[in-house]
Structure formats: C-alpha cells, structure tokens
Amino acid sequence: MDKILREPNIWDLHIHTPLGTPTKKNYGGVSAEEFVDELIKIYRNEDKKIGMISFTDHNKINVEAYEAFRNKSDIAIIPGIEVDVYLTEGAKDSKHIIFYFDEKELSNISDLQKLIEGYIKKKEKVYFEDFVMYLIENKKKFAVSPHAFKQGKRGINYEWTTEDTADRGTSEFSGLFFPFWEAGGKSDICKAIEFLKEQSGEEENQQAVIAFSDSADYKKIKDYIENPHQYFLCLNSFKGLLLAGSDRSRIIYEYEDRPKNNPSEKIKKIILSNDLKKINQKNKIELQLSDRLNVIVGGRGKGKSALLDAIVYKIDNRKIEDRSRASFVKKFDMQITNFNDTELASDTNIVYFSQSYINKLFDGNSQEKFEKFFEKQFAESESVSSGISDIKMILERTEEISSVDDLNVADDLKNIVSIGKKLTNLSIKNKKTKKVPLYSECHGYDKCIRDLLPQNSEIWDEQLQNAFKQFIEQLVENIAKYNYNTLFETKFAQLMKNKIEEEKRKKSRIDKMKGDSKERIEQKLKFLYSKELERIRQINKLYKIEKSKTQVDIQYAKCSGEKDNKFFFVSVANKEHPVEYAKRMIIEAVNKSKYKGFEKKEIDEIFKVYATSQELNENIKDSITFFELEKKIENLEELKAEKVQRIIYKSGEEFINLHNTSPGTQTNAVMEFILHTDSTVPLFIDQPEDNIDNEARYTQLTRWIRNQKYKRQIILVTHDANVVINGDAECVIIANHTSDKFSYEYGALEYGDVLDSAAVILDGGKNAIHRRMEKYGE
C-alpha cells in the first residue's frame, strides 16, 4: 500500500455478489469464486484503475467472495453489508443503510459474519440505534452510509416532508460515524448537495454525497468503471474511507488529471542519513513527498526545522542567512529527486520563510529585508525615485535647449552702459560722444583716459602708475556690477526672450545677422560678467524645475487577498526643491560670525550676493571655497531626498497601515498575501501559525493553505493541529531525534498510525481531545 496519495482513486463500495442476488438474471447463478474471477477480469481489461471495492449484500456477508478476492487481486477491499433497519419503533418501512468495517476484519471475516448475521436473524426488526450500540459494544470500527434521494421509501429522506422533519433528519444523519450519503447517480448527487446547502448553508455543509454502482450484474460494474460518479482523494483503506467521509473536499466529481512528470520544481523524494554522515544502507532514510501539502511535526528539538532548513540549503544555500545555522544543516548528506525521477536542479526556484521571518519584516530594523521581500510589488511603482537622477535629467534637458541666441539683445537696451552696433564698445558717461573700442586687459580705457590727462613723464611716477591701474580695474568692476544690477532688477531674462521674439518677426535679413550678434554678445558677456551670468543661469535652471517634480510623489501596486481584501504597495518620494537646496547650501557656506543675519535675507537677495561673488567670498567659511560651493549647487550632491515604502491593507471599507499594527495582525495579513499569490513556485515555511490567534488559524490560515496547495507544493513545519488536520495534509513527516540520530517517518493522514502519532504530538493524544470535547459539552 502506498504511504501517500499520488493520484485520485475510483472506489466502488456497493457491489452485490451472487449470494445477495441469487437469480440467474443477475450473475447467472455462478459460484463466489467464478464471480470473483469475472470481476477481476473486468477490472484488468478496463483502462481506468479501480482502487478499492466492497461487497455489500443485503443482511449477509459473502465470506467466500471476500476470501477469493483477497487471494487473487491486489485491489484494496473492505468488508461491508447493506442492512435493512428501522429508524424508529413506529416506522412502517425499513431503510437501506450500508455499514463498512476496518480491513483488519478480513483476516477473520467469518467471525464478523457470525457477529452481524447472528444479530440480524435474532431480531424481528433491526432498529438503527440498537444495531449501532451492538457494534460499539463489540468494539467494531465502522462507518455508515445511508441511502438518500434513492430507492423511494427505502431512502432516509422519504419521510422528510416538512421543513422541520428535513432539518431534524439532516442533523441526525450528517457527520454520524463519518457517513456518506449515497445517491442514485450524478443527478441525484447534485440534488442532494443542493438540498444540504438549503438546509445548513454552503459553508456549514460538510456532508459527503456519493453514488456507487449498486451493481447486481456485470454490466453495471463495467458501466460504473467506465464512467464513475466521483473520485476519491484518499488512500485505499478503511481509514481513507473515514477521511473521505469526514471531509467532503476529498471527493471530487470530475477526474483530476495530475501531471505524472514535473521536472522543474516539485520534490518527489528525499534521501538523507540519520547521523549526519555519508549515506549508506544502514543510516539511509527515504521520504516520499506529495506535490501538495507536506507538514513536518514533532516535539521541541526533534529535528523539524533542521530537516526543512537542510532541504532549503541543499537547493539554495543562500536562503539560509544565519551562517551558524547554515554550517549545521549542511552536514546533512541529502539527495533530492523531482517528479521526473531525476536530481533536482541546484538552481530550482523556491520561496522560503524561516521561523519568525515575517515578524522581522516589520521590526523597524530590517528595512532592507522588507524591501527585498516585496521588491516585485514595489518594482511596479519604480517611477517613484528616492534619488536626484530624475532631477538631473530635467536639468540636462533644460541645458540642451538653451543657447546664446537667447542673449541676442539690442545694444540700445535702456540703462545698459555699453552701446554701439558694429563694434563692441563701452561709453564713458562724461564723454557720451566718445566711443572706445573694447580690448582685453582694459587697454581701451587706459588709452582713452590717458589721452585726457597730462602727458608729462615726470608726473607719472610709479605711485601714480599703480594708482591709475587700480582705478581702471575698479572702474571695469563697477561697470560690470552696474550692468548686473540693471539686468537683474529689470528681469534681464524676460527682456531677452521678448527681444528674441521681436527679432524673429523682423525681416529675414535679421536672421542672417544672428551669427554676428551671437559673437558680439558672447564677447561682451565673457569680459564683463561671464561668471555672474553662469551663476544666474545656474539658479534660473533650478527655478525651471516644476514643484510637482519634487513634491510628494505617490505610486502603488495592488494585489488581491481573500475575497475583496486588497494589498496596496505604496511608494512615497519627497525631494527638496533645487531652489531651496541652493539657498540652503549658500546659507550653510556663510560664516555666521562674519556675516550676521545673512540667513534671514530674502531669497532674491541671497542669490544676488551669490551671483556677484565678492561679498560672499569675503564672508565664506574657511572650510569651503567659492568654487566648491558652485559645484555643490551644480551637482545637487547634498539635495535632501527620501523614499518611504508602506503596505496598506484594505479589509472591507477599512484601510490599515500594516506598519502600525500588532505583530499578530502583521503576520496574519502577510500570510494572507503569501497564500494568495498566484505562483507555482514551491513554498517552504517554518511555523506559519506563529503570532496568529487560534480563531484565525482555524477560520483563515488553514483555508488559505488548502486553497494554495492545489497551485503549488507546500512544505512546512508546524506545531498546530489545525494546519495538519484542517489543512488536510497529503503527507505528514514525523520528526524524532535521540542523542546521536535523527529519524523521520512519513505517510498520509490515513496511513498506519500517522494520525494517532500526530494527535499525540499536536493535541496531547486522543484522550486529551476527548476530555476537551466532554468539557465543551460535545
């Protein structure tokens, strides 16, 4: 018998033998052995594999048929009998109810036959409650399957003629000894399920409804195998039947074609040593895994997390971030095989969450881990920048479209000291008719003024020569300052722009003069106020950055949780405006003790001082040069910028910032996100129930896990019975560790003693469960 389920099973647990249908029109009066031979032949010839059967004759157990089938076939079989019972003493008609028994009874099926048939023969009427108590007193394990929506008066629902009787009837026969309700076919199955939804609601209804062949001839058996009414997601055993009866999700009504091969990701088999040494025949442990939910359970220190981490380390050792932990788990000698029966690739993609990992996402000290975990979601709002690269790009584009053409101003601009058209000249205010050609190093002024002064060489001694030179230099500087102040105060840039537009509207010959005009203006500005102009341009470029580019910028990505719940992954960026940044840099560069009150000046005045440079240069801090200040402003190297990322969780109409909630709420919400991710990548989690309250574990966590396991393989460590039992784990790995050896046993919940062992580890054993139920009044 397999330890875990690999594919859905076909069961036919309602087959009548020649003993129960002795007429020739059914099986032709054949013996039990001949019947079994023909039955096995039918099963062998059919493409679809049947996993388990039961012979259920009326009020009889065909011992010979059971024994012959066990000897000749490896198909699972469990004992069964269809009993005519009366539900109440006043009932007129009997009902057909099937009782199934543990396959262990097959080893001495004659004793079971005598026990059951002996009771039936003694009774004029077999009452349901009395018969059930008789089986309990004789310590028989059994399950009940009443007929419903089948066989008219013999169905249990026949007398449910009012809402009250229907409600009472469903309560009595739902969940009683893990029963199935047996219907007459697919249409009756649908009818019964709809009826149960009306009686108890879709969420509350856990009653399983089935329809077997109810065969009394070979044709019915063949027809059923070719077109079964349902498939069972359980091992072929009596325990599997109990599990299917207690969990309706174990029964599906369309065949689930699960892939035979999955070479890329999912783990099928793990081989490891029990003593951290090289694998050999004496220390080898082999574990088979399901492609769905696998849980590792065990007491504290028994090697649960060690196994999980060792598997993860073998696949991708980078995911074990704790180096001391990594150095321990790498000692496990391990071989991992995928569903293609080949070695799992070392670069297989998996998702892994260590113990308390989710709590650390929100602890305030691991922003990097938080951003890494949600990098895919936050990447969808990557247009939000926390740096200055986007601002610099805008500045570069502004520079590209700027040209000296913007400076093609007419020389007759009012209040400008320099005049002249073809030549670049400067006028001297007290000699307006005199024009002086402009040369480098102030020679033009020197010659013009010297011509007005006495020429006697005896007058021009060294002291006067130096004084005259200083005078000329001061004169040029004052003219430059005058021009700067004039341009600044009369909105030089706007005047230039207006003039350009005006020039463009003039005759086409003006356009031909642009080259000359450009050269003239460049010559003039380079000499007079080139540095000042650069700084004016620098500040003006910063003013061109729109406030919207630096003010709060919000982008978000959205993911779905359960039902209408949503996760919004919000990125918020806020940057200092470059103009404010330039102002701050200038103020910070000033020596406050030398230039008191400078920081209180208006922003225009601050930039005016910066552009003219001399006043600022005299009061700048010793630790910085004017050149360094210019570069700081140009490169925006200390511009303040921040980017904040937050998860906003929407539940109903409420929006919750997860960063401001309790660890339990955070864990619960992030587990909801993880277990609703549309992914096929295998998921490894160590104790997903940590910090989630018991109610949430039962009502939410286990439901999320059950839904997710149909999309991806899940391997997790847990101490919580809800995750194992209500999550309906396909494979349970039981961990144990002595002083020098690890041991790991595995199997489905219905295999061997797995459920009993899990009950001891997770719930203190069945007695503890029973005591709690008694205290709860159940």
Side-chain angles (χ1 to χ4, degrees):
M1 178 181 170
D2 292 333
K3 288 188 175 183
I4 58 176
L5 184 69
R6 290 292 185 217
E7 57 187 26
N9 294 301
I10 299 173
W11 291 353
D12 189 359
L13 303 183
H14 194 163
I15 301 173
H16 293 284
T17 73
L19 179 65
T21 53
T23 62
K24 287 188 177 182
K25 71 175 184 179
N26 299 115
Y27 294 110
V30 298
S31 66
E33 188 163 350
E34 289 172 325
F35 162 73
V36 167
D37 288 341
E38 184 62 26
L39 189 62
I40 293 172
K41 183 180 177 181
I42 291 171
Y43 291 152
R44 189 181 298 122
N45 291 338
E46 292 296 328
D47 292 334
K48 293 183 178 179
K49 181 183 176 182
I50 190 158
M52 186 164 69
I53 67 168
S54 182
F55 299 143
T56 51
D57 291 321
H58 280 279
N59 303 316
K60 296 177 182 178
I61 295 177
N62 192 334
V63 173
E64 293 79 7
Y66 275 110
E67 290 178 340
F69 192 86
R70 283 187 70 202
N71 292 332
K72 295 184 177 186
S73 175
D74 59 357
I75 295 172
I77 186 170
I78 58 172
I81 184 172
E82 186 171 6
V83 183
D84 299 337
V85 300
Y86 291 86
L87 299 182
T88 61
E89 289 190 7
K92 297 180 179 179
D93 301 304
S94 63
K95 308 297 180 183
H96 287 187
I97 294 181
I98 296 179
F99 291 81
Y100 298 106
F101 301 91
D102 195 324
E103 62 262 31
K104 293 178 181 178
E105 299 287 350
L106 292 170
S107 60
N108 203 342
I109 189 71
S110 296
D111 288 349
L112 182 65
Q113 177 203 31
K114 292 175 183 176
L115 182 75
I116 302 298
E117 292 185 11
Y119 180 88
I120 292 172
K121 289 177 181 177
K122 288 180 182 178
K123 301 293 181 180
E124 181 180 346
K125 287 184 176 180
V126 176
Y127 291 103
F128 178 73
E129 289 186 9
D130 294 342
F131 184 60
V132 166
M133 289 305 302
Y134 176 73
L135 295 176
I136 293 172
E137 290 167 1
N138 283 276
K139 299 180 180 179
K140 295 300 176 185
K141 295 180 180 179
F142 63 94
V144 181
S145 176
H147 288 338
F149 300 90
K150 180 183 179 181
Q151 296 185 341
K153 293 181 179 180
R154 290 175 294 181
I156 59 170
N157 64 306
Y158 178 73
E159 295 171 353
W160 297 351
T161 54
T162 66
E163 185 175 339
D164 182 61
T165 56
D167 184 61
R168 187 169 63 250
T170 53
S171 299
E172 290 175 354
F173 284 92
S174 294
L176 180 64
F177 305 107
F178 305 105
F180 301 111
W181 278 12
E182 186 174 355
K186 286 190 175 181
S187 61
D188 282 343
I189 288 175
C190 295
K191 181 180 177 182
I193 291 174
E194 286 302 315
F195 171 78
L196 287 165
K197 286 180 182 178
E198 291 175 4
Q199 292 303 121
S200 54
E202 186 169 0
E203 292 296 327
E204 296 298 323
N205 169 39
Q206 292 297 323
Q207 182 63 58
V209 182
I210 50 86
F212 297 127
S213 67
D214 196 1
S215 59
D217 57 61
Y218 298 125
K219 184 179 183 304
K220 277 190 175 183
I221 294 173
K222 286 181 181 180
D223 290 344
Y224 178 78
I225 298 173
E226 289 175 358
N227 187 26
H229 304 313
Q230 69 280 307
Y231 301 88
F232 295 86
L233 302 175
C234 300
L235 295 182
N236 303 310
S237 65
F238 178 69
K239 284 186 176 180
L241 180 148
L242 295 182
L243 212 61
S246 64
D247 190 339
R248 64 175 182 168
S249 67
R250 291 279 189 140
I251 302 172
I252 56 176
Y253 299 98
E254 296 293 337
Y255 185 76
E256 182 188 36
D257 192 10
R258 296 167 78 170
K260 299 292 188 297
N261 298 331
N262 193 337
S264 59
E265 296 174 330
K266 296 180 182 179
I267 300 173
K268 180 180 180 181
K269 183 171 67 175
I270 297 171
I271 297 176
L272 68 156
S273 60
N274 64 8
D275 53 10
L276 304 183
K277 296 178 181 178
K278 286 291 182 182
I279 297 170
N280 57 54
Q281 289 302 315
K282 291 184 179 180
N283 67 5
K284 183 171 74 171
I285 299 174
E286 181 175 313
L287 303 174
Q288 296 281 342
L289 269 63
S290 166
D291 60 343
R292 290 187 171 164
L293 177 58
N294 305 267
V295 296
I296 306 171
V297 301
R300 188 175 299 278
K302 297 302 182 182
K304 306 181 300 300
S305 296
L307 176 61
L308 184 76
D309 289 353
I311 298 169
V312 172
Y313 185 88
K314 178 70 175 177
I315 299 171
D316 185 352
N317 59 52
R318 296 169 299 178
K319 291 190 179 295
I320 307 298
E321 297 178 354
D322 186 327
R323 290 298 92 194
S324 62
R325 183 66 171 173
S327 65
F328 171 70
V329 297
K330 75 177 182 180
K331 296 177 183 178
F332 281 83
D333 189 22
M334 184 175 289
Q335 300 167 6
I336 302 179
T337 305
N338 61 25
F339 274 76
N340 201 32
D341 294 322
T342 59
E343 184 178 357
L344 190 76
S346 59
D347 60 349
T348 297
N349 188 19
I350 63 171
V351 176
Y352 165 66
F353 302 106
S354 60
Q355 191 175 350
S356 301
Y357 178 94
I358 294 169
N359 282 349
K360 294 175 183 176
L361 291 178
F362 296 91
D363 66 5
N365 299 315
S366 54
Q367 182 70 11
E368 183 179 350
K369 180 175 285 190
F370 167 77
E371 291 180 358
K372 183 179 179 182
F373 176 68
F374 292 109
E375 61 185 352
K376 180 181 177 183
Q377 284 70 39
F378 285 121
E380 295 182 26
S381 49
E382 61 185 4
S383 60
V384 173
S385 169
S386 61
I388 61 172
S389 58
D390 51 343
I391 301 295
K392 283 192 171 184
M393 286 177 63
I394 296 171
L395 291 175
E396 287 170 5
R397 288 196 296 269
T398 304
E399 188 125 26
E400 287 173 6
I401 63 174
S402 298
S403 71
V404 183
D405 287 342
D406 295 332
L407 304 176
N408 288 338
V409 295
D411 286 339
D412 59 353
L413 186 63
K414 291 182 179 180
N415 298 322
I416 295 296
V417 172
S418 172
I419 63 172
K421 296 190 180 296
K422 293 183 179 180
L423 294 175
T424 302
N425 298 310
L426 293 176
S427 67
I428 299 172
K429 296 187 72 174
N430 62 345
K431 292 285 184 179
K432 292 184 180 180
T433 58
K434 184 69 175 179
K435 294 179 180 178
V436 183
L438 178 63
Y439 303 104
S440 62
E441 300 179 359
C442 310
H443 288 166
Y445 285 114
D446 184 292
K447 188 176 183 304
C448 178
I449 297 173
R450 284 290 293 269
D451 288 345
L452 300 175
L453 298 175
Q455 302 298 315
N456 192 317
S457 60
E458 294 178 1
I459 298 174
W460 291 91
D461 57 14
E462 185 177 353
Q463 182 180 358
L464 185 57
Q465 291 278 10
N466 291 336
F468 181 72
K469 183 179 179 183
Q470 291 177 7
F471 165 74
I472 295 298
E473 290 176 351
Q474 187 64 49
L475 175 63
V476 170
E477 184 177 345
N478 285 357
I479 291 174
K481 287 182 179 179
Y482 174 82
N483 285 338
Y484 164 75
N485 290 333
T486 301
L487 296 176
F488 189 88
E489 292 169 3
T490 56
K491 299 182 181 178
F492 174 57
Q494 187 61 45
L495 286 170
M496 290 190 294
K497 187 174 180 181
N498 293 341
K499 193 62 181 178
I500 292 168
E501 296 299 323
E502 181 182 344
E503 293 293 325
K504 286 179 180 178
R505 290 192 294 270
K506 288 185 179 181
K507 297 178 181 180
S508 60
R509 65 180 181 81
I510 301 298
D511 294 334
K512 296 177 183 179
M513 298 173 60
K514 280 186 177 180
D516 295 334
S517 176
K518 174 179 177 181
E519 186 176 352
R520 280 190 300 107
I521 300 301
E522 282 185 326
Q523 287 176 359
K524 183 194 307 183
L525 296 179
K526 278 180 182 177
F527 179 75
L528 288 177
Y529 41 89
S530 58
K531 283 295 180 184
E532 286 81 353
L533 182 62
E534 281 183 26
R535 290 192 284 274
I536 291 170
R537 279 180 167 173
Q538 184 188 51
I539 298 300
N540 281 341
K541 278 197 303 182
L542 302 184
Y543 268 112
K544 289 182 180 179
I545 302 294
E546 296 177 17
K547 287 187 177 181
S548 61
K549 299 296 182 183
T550 60
Q551 291 177 336
V552 175
D553 187 9
I554 301 177
Q555 298 289 334
Y556 69 87
K558 182 170 65 175
C559 294
S560 296
E562 187 177 31
K563 296 183 179 177
D564 295 330
N565 294 346
K566 294 286 186 296
F567 293 86
F568 294 90
F569 297 89
V570 182
S571 296
V572 181
N574 193 17
K575 302 181 187 69
E576 184 180 24
H577 193 280
V579 171
E580 292 297 325
Y581 163 75
K583 174 187 172 184
R584 181 169 61 84
M585 288 294 99
I586 296 168
I587 291 173
E588 289 179 3
V590 167
N591 187 329
K592 292 183 179 179
S593 63
K594 289 184 179 181
Y595 202 157
K596 295 181 180 179
F598 178 74
E599 69 278 5
K600 296 179 181 179
K601 289 180 178 292
E602 295 293 330
I603 191 168
D604 289 351
E605 184 65 22
I606 289 171
F607 287 150
K608 187 173 181 180
V609 171
Y610 169 66
T612 54
S613 79
Q614 183 177 346
E615 190 176 2
L616 187 60
N617 231 334
E618 291 172 355
N619 296 285
I620 203 166
K621 289 179 180 177
D622 295 336
S623 59
I624 189 171
T625 67
F626 199 91
F627 175 77
E628 289 172 337
L629 175 60
E630 287 179 324
K631 289 299 179 186
K632 274 188 177 183
I633 295 175
E634 183 70 27
N635 298 331
L636 305 178
E637 58 190 51
E638 295 181 23
L639 186 137
K640 292 179 180 179
E642 64 175 349
K643 182 176 180 179
V644 178
Q645 295 180 322
R646 289 289 181 262
I647 305 175
I648 306 299
Y649 175 64
K650 178 180 180 291
S651 179
E653 296 302 317
E654 187 178 8
F655 288 84
I656 305 166
N657 182 350
L658 283 185
H659 301 259
N660 299 334
T661 59
S662 68
T665 301
Q666 292 169 353
T667 305
N668 199 28
V670 176
M671 285 305 303
E672 180 180 349
F673 166 74
I674 292 169
L675 294 172
H676 287 81
T677 302
D678 188 14
S679 173
T680 60
V681 176
L683 178 62
F684 292 71
I685 312 180
D686 195 340
Q687 295 177 217
E689 70 274 11
D690 280 3
N691 289 314
I692 297 178
D693 60 73
N694 288 332
E695 182 181 1
R697 292 179 194 179
Y698 178 76
T699 60
Q700 295 177 318
L701 181 63
T702 56
R703 182 172 65 251
W704 299 339
I705 289 173
R706 287 185 72 141
N707 292 336
Q708 188 77 184
K709 73 180 183 178
Y710 293 106
K711 300 177 182 178
R712 66 203 301 190
Q713 186 178 42
I714 302 176
I715 304 172
L716 56 85
V717 169
T718 184
H719 291 119
D720 189 74
N722 284 312
V723 174
V724 180
I725 308 303
N726 297 319
D728 198 24
E730 279 78 5
C731 178
V732 179
I733 300 172
I734 299 171
N736 199 6
H737 179 239
T738 59
S739 58
D740 60 347
K741 289 184 180 180
F742 293 90
S743 69
Y744 297 99
E745 300 292 334
Y746 77 95
L749 283 168
E750 64 268 32
Y751 176 80
D753 296 327
V754 168
L755 196 57
D756 292 339
S757 299
V760 172
I761 294 167
L762 302 171
D763 265 324
K766 289 183 177 179
N767 287 336
I769 297 170
H770 285 307
R771 285 198 298 272
R772 287 201 297 273
M773 289 178 67
E774 288 172 357
K775 288 187 176 183
Y776 286 137
E778 295 292 335

